[in-house]
């Protein structure tokens, strides 16, 4: 790599990230059914109808995986906990084996000198809660608060940081408007409610954890740089709408107690009554802000109903997800987050990385494309730090190849190759490169 640890400020956190449903093996250890099991079982939703029943078999290979994380020399491991593993029905009876699993995970990290960075929800909503309306139902905020307390009473004394919800845009827009993630709805009213309730659940969880005396609590949102397809006023306006829905809605809610006008023009008629009164909870102060970044989107106006835009790919190099590689977007979004929303508050890049058709050959995996991707994004991070933004860490998605949601196991984001027949782990070239950079 072109970078080394000593190029970054003292205490800067390098990390790797995963999530529960994508790696654990959700059929093991008494976890309950989730909306992703249902979504994947519905033909046409997921490549080869694959699900997270086995994942990377991390449930049985936790110690091996923790040793691999330690071998990288990272400071932080960002993982998520599954609501349905802790509370199989979403409410009520606790699965003690689930609490034990996360207890061992946290202790295993601490024993290896790694900071446990928890996310409480990374999309595997327990099916019974989806039956009860899921994110459309306002009660989800208190259900989520109860789950938060149940888990944090067990591990909250030892975790390093907590974010309630990963990528609210995916929970709201991708899953209820675009229909590409569970529960696969395409309904603007459901979308508006899900986007609002996910923030209400976020604030509720923060309040419950403060009540337990916890700190280092944050919010993790995902962002895409929105580029107009040309200079026409219509294209610029379409990109601004995209930006409002994708990037500004959740930041606005959490850090300003307001939603952007360009998002409200389509969503307001569908928001639940009294939505403005919820900002007291939604803006409950956090200690840091997390930014997940992968790509940009080229946006063109069209004459379909609101939001009246179409999404395009420009002419930059693509990852195997078909996502353009655009490191400048990371720079610009970090600068904007600090300038317009978070000020002096610490920011972490909580996800960044790329997928590629990596292949095992002769016992090793060469992924120079990933090393270049990481180098280019770390260049931007250095610029942002030099410009005075309080950026405190950079976490790579992902530790290992895993279940890429609607795209099944086909897309490989890991620095560790996983053979999905034998579950053998093989650190890739990027793993060794990062380990050497962090040791230097
Ligand atoms: O795999 C996902 C992850 O679950 C959330 N952020 C984006 C990643 C790559 O698509």
């Amino acid at each position: 790599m072109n970078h080394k640890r000593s190029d970054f400020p003292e205490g800067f956190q390098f990390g790797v990230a995963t999530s529960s449903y994508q790696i654990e093996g959700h059929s093991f250890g008494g976890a309950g059914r989730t909306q992703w099991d249902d979504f994947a079982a519905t033909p046409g939703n997921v490549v080869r109808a694959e699900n997270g029943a086995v994942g990377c078999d991390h449930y049985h290979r936790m110690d091996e995986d923790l040793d691999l994380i330690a071998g990288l020399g990272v400071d932080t491991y960002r993982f998520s906990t599954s609501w349905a593993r802790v509370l199989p029905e979403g409410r009520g009876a606790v699965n003690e084996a689930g609490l034990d699993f996360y207890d061992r995970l946290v202790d295993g990290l601490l024993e290896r000198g790694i900071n446990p960075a928890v996310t409480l929800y990374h999309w595997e909503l327990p099916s019974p809660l989806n039956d009860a309306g899921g994110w459309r139902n306002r009660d989800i905020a208190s259900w989520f608060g109860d789950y938060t307390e149940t888990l944090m009473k067990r591990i909250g004394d030892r975790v390093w940081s907590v974010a309630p919800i990963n990528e609210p845009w995916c929970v709201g827009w991708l899953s209820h408007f675009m229909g590409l993630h569970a529960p696969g709805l395409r309904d603007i009213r459901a979308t508006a409610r899900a986007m609002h309730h996910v923030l209400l659940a976020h604030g509720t969880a923060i309040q419950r954890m403060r009540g337990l005396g916890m700190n280092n609590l944050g919010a993790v949102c995902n962002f895409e740089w929105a580029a107009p397809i040309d200079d026409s006023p219509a294209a610029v306006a379409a990109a601004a709408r995209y930006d409002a829905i994708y990037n500004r809605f959740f930041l606005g809610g959490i850090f300003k107690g307001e939603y952007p006008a360009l998002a409200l023009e389509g969503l307001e008629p569908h928001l639940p009554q009294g939505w403005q009164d919820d900002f007291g909870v939604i803006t409950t102060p956090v200690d840091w802000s997390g930014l997940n970044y992968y790509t940009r989107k080229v946006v063109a106006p069209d004459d379909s109903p609101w939001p009246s835009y179409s999404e395009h790919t420009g002419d930059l190099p693509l990852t195997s997800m078909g996502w353009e590689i655009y490191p400048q977007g990371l720079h610009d979004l970090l600068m904007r987050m600090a300038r317009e929303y978070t000020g002096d508050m610490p920011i972490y890049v909580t996800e960044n990385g790329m997928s590629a058709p990596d292949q095992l050959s002769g016992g090793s995996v060469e992924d120079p494309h990933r090393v270049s991707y990481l180098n280019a994004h770390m260049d931007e991070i250095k610029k942002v730090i030099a410009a005075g933004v309080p950026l405190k860490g950079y976490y790579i998605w992902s530790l290992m190849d895993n279940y890429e949601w609607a795209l099944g196991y086909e897309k490989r984001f890991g620095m560790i190759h996983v053979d999905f027949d034998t579950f053998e782990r093989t650190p890739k070239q990027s793993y060794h490169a990062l380990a050497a950079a962090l040791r230097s």
Side-chain angles (χ1 to χ4, degrees):
M1 301 204 84
N2 300 340
H3 305 279
K4 50 189 190 306
R5 185 184 276 283
S6 53
D7 299 340
F8 292 83
E10 182 76 29
F12 189 83
Q13 299 287 303
F14 284 96
V16 279
T18 64
S19 90
S20 45
Y21 193 81
Q22 291 177 274
I23 68 163
E24 285 175 0
H26 218 265
S27 56
F28 308 128
R33 190 172 179 86
T34 81
Q35 64 173 1
W36 268 93
D37 302 311
D38 304 328
F39 185 70
T42 311
N45 283 340
V46 177
V47 170
R48 292 184 294 269
E50 289 170 343
N51 61 28
V54 179
C56 303
D57 194 28
H58 171 70
Y59 189 80
H60 297 113
R61 294 163 198 261
M62 182 206 289
D63 287 329
E64 178 187 351
D65 291 339
L66 291 179
D67 287 343
L68 284 164
I69 300 169
L72 258 176
V74 291
D75 310 287
T76 304
Y77 175 49
R78 175 175 178 256
F79 62 96
S80 76
T81 53
S82 163
W83 191 339
R85 183 175 295 293
V86 173
L87 297 166
E89 296 293 310
R91 291 177 278 183
V94 173
N95 173 30
E96 288 300 331
L99 287 179
D100 291 346
F101 176 72
Y102 293 124
D103 207 46
R104 282 192 288 116
L105 178 54
V106 169
D107 284 345
L109 287 166
L110 294 175
E111 279 159 20
R112 290 165 176 83
I114 300 160
N115 292 324
V118 179
T119 304
L120 282 157
Y121 181 77
H122 199 124
W123 311 345
E124 60 285 292
L125 188 70
S127 296
L129 299 186
N130 196 31
D131 297 340
W135 290 104
R136 283 167 291 159
N137 187 337
R138 178 183 181 81
D139 292 345
I140 198 161
S142 62
W143 303 336
F144 186 63
D146 294 345
Y147 152 60
T148 301
E149 277 193 356
T150 304
L151 179 60
M152 286 306 154
K153 279 182 180 160
R154 181 72 178 267
I155 63 171
D157 56 335
R158 281 157 292 141
V159 297
W160 181 72
S161 72
V162 186
I165 291 165
N166 183 63
E167 301 182 349
W169 177 86
C170 294
V171 178
W173 192 264
L174 185 68
S175 308
H176 294 81
F177 192 86
M178 300 176 81
L180 297 177
H181 273 195
L185 297 184
R186 301 202 61 238
D187 181 315
I188 194 168
R189 195 167 179 81
T191 305
R193 279 149 202 263
M195 286 171 73
H196 181 68
H197 292 150
V198 77
L199 291 183
L200 189 61
H202 157 86
T204 303
I206 297 288
Q207 291 190 345
R208 300 283 192 103
M209 289 189 282
R210 295 288 187 213
L212 297 174
M214 295 177 62
N215 53 37
N216 207 15
L217 310 179
V220 171
C221 300
N222 56 320
F223 301 87
E224 275 185 3
W225 189 257
I229 198 160
D230 56 39
D231 293 340
S232 66
V236 171
R241 281 196 298 284
Y242 188 90
D243 186 39
I245 294 164
Y246 203 120
N247 300 318
R248 293 186 181 273
F249 186 91
F250 304 99
L251 282 181
I254 294 169
F255 295 106
K256 292 183 190 251
E258 63 185 29
Y259 295 142
L262 288 177
L264 284 177
E265 69 184 17
L267 294 176
E268 186 163 10
H270 308 290
L271 282 167
Q273 223 180 5
W275 56 274
Q276 296 93 336
D277 301 336
D278 290 330
F279 283 123
V281 176
I282 292 171
T283 57
T284 304
V286 291
D287 304 307
W288 53 269
S289 177
L291 178 148
N292 293 357
Y293 176 78
Y294 293 89
T295 189
R296 72 168 186 175
K297 197 57 59 67
V298 175
V299 185
D302 73 14
D303 47 18
S304 59
W306 187 91
S308 316
Y309 57 59
S310 53
E311 302 176 18
H312 301 265
T313 304
D315 50 12
L316 300 176
L318 304 178
T319 71
S320 70
M321 294 288 282
W323 293 349
E324 286 187 283
I325 300 175
Y326 184 59
Q328 172 84 34
L330 176 61
H331 173 275
D332 294 350
L333 285 163
L334 284 167
M335 297 296 292
R336 189 173 86 174
M337 179 187 273
R339 196 175 55 236
E340 296 186 27
Y341 295 93
T342 57
D344 293 338
M345 178 179 289
I347 299 177
Y348 294 83
V349 174
T350 32
E351 282 183 29
N352 178 234
M354 73 173 288
S355 68
D358 302 322
Q359 289 194 353
L360 189 60
S361 159
S364 63
V365 181
E366 299 301 310
D367 60 343
H369 38 269
R370 184 167 289 104
V371 175
S372 305
Y373 182 101
L374 297 176
N375 271 331
H377 287 79
M378 284 192 209
D379 283 342
E380 299 305 322
I381 279 180
K382 282 181 172 168
K383 289 183 205 160
V384 167
I385 294 172
V389 170
L391 182 62
K392 302 295 183 190
Y394 175 65
Y395 306 163
I396 295 165
W397 185 274
S398 177
L399 172 67
M400 59 179 129
D401 297 337
N402 57 49
Y403 179 64
E404 181 53 28
W405 306 109
L407 301 169
Y409 291 93
E410 214 167 71
K411 305 294 179 197
R412 294 181 176 272
F413 273 91
M415 286 191 294
I416 297 172
H417 180 273
V418 177
D419 178 323
F420 288 108
D421 294 320
T422 63
F423 298 103
E424 190 182 344
R425 276 85 162 124
T426 307
K428 302 180 189 176
Q429 177 189 2
S430 57
Y431 174 101
H432 297 298
L434 182 68
L438 294 182
R439 257 185 253 117
S440 62

